[in-house]
Amino acid sequence: MRSMTTKPPAVAASKAATKNTPTPVLLTTAQVSAMLGITVRTLANWRCAGTGPRAVVGRSTGGVRYHRADVETWIRNEWGVSTMA
């Protein structure tokens, strides 16, 4: 018989997988524009033109955020620059 304090294997495995999965880091428009050395307006123009890093727009708030990994990939692809320190 299993102890009442032991979690079922499926729950334990699910929680372990969640711990090992990195949480995506979302950046604001101001943070991304600072990373790129451009104005917020330029970043907004790039977003509207579809030429900048991929953006995520909130459904309820309409707020724009960027996944850090998407921004870093865009920098590597567009500028050929490594973002790793």
Side-chain angles (χ1 to χ4, degrees), residues 40-77:
V40 170
R41 187 72 201 148
T42 297
L43 184 58
N45 289 339
W46 287 358
R47 183 175 60 251
C48 291
T51 58
R54 187 170 61 128
V56 178
V57 180
R59 291 183 198 176
S60 60
T61 64
V64 177
R65 297 288 185 270
Y66 296 84
H67 288 281
R68 179 181 293 279
D70 290 342
V71 175
E72 291 174 349
T73 299
W74 184 84
I75 291 170
R76 279 193 302 276
N77 291 340

Side-chain angles (χ1 to χ4, degrees), residues 2-16:
R2 189 172 56 206
S3 161
M4 294 304 278
T5 59
T6 305
K7 293 181 179 155
V11 172
S14 171
K15 288 193 180 214

Side-chain angles (χ1 to χ4, degrees), residues 13-44:
S14 171
K15 288 193 180 214
T18 304
K19 282 183 185 177
N20 295 333
T21 305
T23 314
V25 176
L26 295 176
L27 303 172
T28 65
T29 302
Q31 290 170 318
V32 174
S33 64
M35 276 177 74
L36 299 176
I38 59 173
T39 65
V40 170
R41 187 72 201 148
T42 297
L43 184 58

